[in-house]
Amino acid sequence: MLCSLAAAACTSLPRTPYSAADASSSRVLDIDGLRRYTDEPVTKFRFEKDLSSTKTYLALSGGGGDGAYGVGVLNGWTAAGTRPTFSVVSGVSTGGLIAPFAFLGSQYDDTLREVYTSGIAESLLADPSIIRVLFGSGLFGNKRLRELVARYVGPEILAAVARENAKGRKLLVVTTDLDTQRTVVWDMGKIAALGSPEALRLFRDVMAASASIPLVFPPILIEAEGQGRRFEEMHVDGGVTAPVLTLPDALLFQGRLPGNSRMNIYILVNKKLERTFELVSNSTIDVASRSLSSITQSQTRSVIFSTYDFAKRNRWGFHLSYIERDYPASPSEGFDTAYMRALYRYGYEKAASGRAWTSTLP
């Protein structure tokens, strides 16, 4: 094992070195404005001055297999006949996989249900390999994840997103840039509007990167250019730095939105928010899993509380949906199909009966 670990350090794929200065001016596909960073100043973000009607914003959180809950809520919302056409949709991790289809509307409800309940998702965690951990950067590899994204996201999806982007609607997907430790917000509509094979590849790469859980799946390397030099940025799960994206950090801190804009924000959390009791086994894996889950839950609650306060200050509509505390936990840490089907039905029934959304904090 010691020899293998030593060899792993020597056999990792080399990367083209680049500096912080290169990263600060980097762009992708030689085009500016395809992404933003949540820690940028408020002045970097544009806001519509004329909002004659109230806009709707859907923010989809991470959560792995618990994304079946969000899909159930969306489909049940359609069945209830009250689902709006969203002005903005953002997605992180599993929410990043859902986001394009939620953005395009109810005609893709069947697609989402298939992804999360047919058993396809369970195959993502097939064939774990210690060799990949020692000589690569992920236990399962990302071949199946990439294939899943490519199977459902083709030129027709790119064209549909581009059409909606031309109407002024926004689709945002979040990744984490490990090199800079920054939260990256990709403007998927602007990428789709390019309409080229390179744009489709980038669109798919961003979706796969947003769902690439560190150590489970390898990072996605995205080609970039800065100060005349070309290199590859390392992107992983957006949930590492932002479990759900509502508004940029500086805006939440500032507390006021320029102008008199109005928004109804819907935060769809694919996990539990309320603290639960669990007798944790005294084993390394169980302690690590429970610790990471607690960190993510705390981060998510913090974002939601800040957004709630911001919404009240700016007279926005605030709506929240999440898996309730007493819902049975998954029997495994993976994508258990039976669990995901039951969770989908749970979310569907809540939304179809009008019980999915609350305007109060947990």
Side-chain angles (χ1 to χ4, degrees):
M1 180 65 76
L2 288 173
C3 290
S4 296
L5 289 170
C10 300
T11 57
S12 298
L13 292 176
R15 298 183 61 202
T16 301
Y18 71 103
S19 67
D22 297 331
S24 66
S25 61
S26 68
R27 59 182 188 169
V28 179
L29 299 183
D30 293 328
I31 297 173
D32 291 321
L34 295 184
R35 75 260 183 101
R36 289 291 185 199
Y37 302 90
T38 59
D39 59 358
E40 289 184 303
V42 174
T43 52
K44 290 281 188 178
F45 297 89
R46 295 180 180 177
F47 304 99
E48 297 179 75
K49 295 181 179 179
D50 180 21
L51 289 178
S52 56
S53 61
T54 301
K55 304 294 183 178
T56 54
Y57 178 7
L58 175 67
L60 296 154
S61 84
D66 284 351
Y69 172 74
V71 171
V73 168
L74 288 169
N75 288 16
W77 206 355
T78 298
T82 55
R83 177 175 163 181
T85 297
F86 301 105
S87 310
V88 183
V89 175
S90 72
V92 178
S93 194
T94 195
L97 297 179
I98 297 170
F101 306 103
F103 176 75
L104 292 177
S106 58
Q107 62 267 40
Y108 289 95
D109 283 0
D110 290 343
T111 300
L112 284 175
R113 183 174 66 248
E114 179 179 321
V115 172
Y116 281 84
T117 66
S118 68
I120 294 175
E122 194 165 12
S123 69
L124 294 175
L125 300 187
D127 304 323
S129 172
I130 191 65
I131 299 300
R132 292 194 190 100
V133 175
L134 295 176
F135 298 99
S137 51
L139 181 61
F140 295 94
N142 60 21
K143 181 175 182 291
R144 286 188 175 89
L145 176 60
R146 284 184 173 276
E147 289 175 344
L148 177 69
V149 172
R151 174 175 178 174
Y152 291 101
V153 179
E156 69 288 348
I157 293 292
L158 202 71
V161 170
R163 285 194 297 271
E164 297 305 311
N165 179 73
K167 298 175 185 177
R169 300 176 64 215
K170 286 294 181 184
L171 171 61
L172 310 172
V173 172
V174 179
T175 65
T176 298
D177 184 338
L178 280 187
D179 295 326
T180 62
Q181 296 184 314
R182 300 178 80 185
T183 305
V184 188
V185 184
W186 295 86
D187 189 332
M188 304 298 277
K190 187 170 286 189
I191 295 171
L194 299 175
S196 63
E198 294 77 15
L200 176 59
R201 183 166 60 249
L202 177 60
F203 196 101
R204 289 169 169 171
D205 281 349
V206 170
M207 288 182 64
S210 185
S212 291
I213 306 167
L215 301 183
V216 177
F217 301 116
I220 301 294
L221 298 177
I222 295 179
E223 294 182 3
E225 180 271 335
Q227 299 193 129
R229 302 184 65 249
R230 293 197 172 275
F231 45 85
E232 291 180 320
E233 301 171 343
M234 181 177 282
H235 290 261
V236 297
D237 191 332
V240 170
T241 51
V244 62
L245 174 71
T246 56
L247 295 165
D249 299 344
L251 192 56
L252 286 175
F253 180 76
Q254 176 177 291
R256 289 287 184 184
L257 189 67
N260 297 309
S261 61
R262 292 288 177 269
M263 185 83 75
N264 272 321
I265 187 165
Y266 294 86
I267 307 176
L268 183 44
V269 180
N270 296 299
K271 60 185 68 176
K272 295 180 180 179
L273 285 177
E274 297 166 313
R275 297 180 180 89
T276 58
F277 175 82
E278 177 185 328
L279 189 63
V280 181
S281 171
N282 193 15
S283 69
T284 301
I285 292 177
D286 288 344
V287 169
S289 176
R290 181 68 168 176
S291 298
L292 290 174
S293 174
S294 299
I295 291 170
T296 302
Q297 185 186 66
S298 178
Q299 290 176 328
T300 306
R301 289 169 63 94
S302 178
V303 172
I304 289 170
F305 287 8
S306 297
T307 305
Y308 175 83
D309 181 65
F310 180 91
K312 293 304 178 185
R313 288 174 180 269
N314 290 275
R315 293 181 292 172
W316 280 18
F318 176 89
H319 312 274
L320 177 66
S321 185
Y322 55 93
I323 302 171
E324 295 176 14
R325 181 188 322 202
D326 57 357
Y327 189 83
S330 172
S332 69
E333 293 296 328
F335 297 89
D336 182 84
T337 301
Y339 170 78
M340 292 169 69
R341 287 173 179 168
L343 187 57
Y344 167 86
R345 175 55 54 181
Y346 166 72
Y348 182 95
E349 291 175 351
K350 282 181 67 176
S353 62
R355 297 180 293 106
W357 299 98
T358 178
S359 295
T360 60
L361 293 173

